[in-house]
Amino acid sequence: MSKEEGKAPQKKDNETPASPKDELGESAIPPIATGMTHYMEVKQKAYEMFDPMLETVSKENPLVSITLMGLFSTDIPLMPIAMLSGVPKTGQNVWEGPVMNQDSKGHVELKGDICTFDLEMKSEDETIQSMNISGEYDTKTESLKASFSVNGKETKVFEYVPSGDGYVSQLFTKENGETTLIKQVFNENTLYMGVFKDSSKQESIYKQNVEFSENFVKNDFMMIVIENGKGYTIIENKKYEY
């Protein structure tokens, strides 16, 4: 999977879009889709700083650069949430219909400040397991929480909340008896990322006020720090500067 597949589409004007809160009103697009799209567009700008870092690290240790590139794929399961923009509005503050293909469907409903969503992702290939994504988006704090399940078993929990002029997010994954927690703090000029292995589930950040700080991602296993295109990564106690 290439890192390009995990990115949101490039905007023509190269400008960060307005906050989702500015686009609510009687929009035909569910608030959760607008919020998720904005999140991914800001993250794309942060991820653009990865490119020179990968080039530097790969010269020292190609295996490490492959590990780092794998972090781009963590955003791919989030894409269907942004794709809820294509679900038709079927009633007042209700959206329901196909998502991405005719075999997948979504239901979104806005009640007060809370926009709930439930997606059933199916594939025409019977060998591929079905996936459900459910959760809620709080329009007041512009924060999100989502649970991913495969054949009824929860595999991922994702949350984000705005912080400063960027976002704080965490993705907790449970697969094959192993757990991984990826924490990120980013805006257009800064990216802090921490990967925690064999981690117990962390406290929720949904609707919380989380400081935009490197401290959120600090750990002993893997860390990435980029500020204005310069920084370092630490993998298994070895530091790579770029």
Side-chain angles (χ1 to χ4, degrees), residues 4 9 19 24 26 35 50 64 71 80-82 84 87 100 104 109 137 141 148 168 174-175 196 199-200 222 227 231:
E4 293 296 328
S19 168
L24 280 177
E26 289 297 321
F50 250 133
V64 168
L71 295 175
I81 302 178
L84 284 169
V87 177
M100 299 179 71
S104 300
E109 189 166 350
Y137 175 78
T141 61
F148 296 75
V168 172
K174 299 177 286 185
E175 292 179 343
F196 302 72
S199 173
S200 60
M222 183 187 298
E227 296 173 336

Side-chain angles (χ1 to χ4, degrees), residues 207-219:
K207 295 198 288 187
Q208 300 301 307
N209 183 16
V210 184
E211 181 183 4
F212 192 99
S213 170
E214 179 183 340
N215 293 331
F216 183 73
V217 308
K218 280 189 175 179
N219 72 98

Side-chain angles (χ1 to χ4, degrees), residues 50 53-54 57 64 68 71 193 221-226 231-242:
F50 250 133
M53 179 270 288
L54 286 172
V57 174
V64 168
L68 294 175
L71 295 175
M193 182 183 297
F221 178 70
M222 183 187 298
M223 271 188 65
I224 295 170
V225 174
I226 306 176
Y232 63 87
T233 183
I234 297 176
I235 300 180
E236 297 180 349
N237 297 316
K238 181 172 176 58
K239 187 174 184 179
Y240 299 85
E241 296 187 3
Y242 43 90

Side-chain angles (χ1 to χ4, degrees), residues 39 43 158-160 167-170 182-184 205 216:
Y39 168 90
K43 178 174 279 189
F158 170 74
E159 299 178 327
Y160 77 65
Y167 289 92
V168 172
S169 70
Q170 60 183 23
I182 301 175
K183 292 186 171 186
Q184 299 186 64
I205 62 173
F216 183 73

Side-chain angles (χ1 to χ4, degrees), residues 95-149:
W95 297 259
E96 194 167 42
V99 181
M100 299 179 71
N101 63 62
Q102 61 183 3
D103 295 314
S104 300
K105 59 183 180 180
H107 176 85
V108 186
E109 189 166 350
L110 177 63
K111 293 183 178 179
D113 295 327
I114 303 299
C115 183
T116 60
F117 59 94
D118 185 45
L119 294 79
E120 184 179 356
M121 308 299 296
K122 292 186 177 181
S123 172
E124 295 179 356
D125 185 346
E126 294 181 357
T127 65
I128 299 178
Q129 296 175 312
S130 63
M131 179 174 67
N132 284 76
I133 310 174
S134 61
E136 61 182 54
Y137 175 78
D138 177 44
T139 61
K140 187 175 182 179
T141 61
E142 299 180 25
S143 59
L144 171 142
K145 66 176 180 179
S147 171
F148 296 75
S149 300

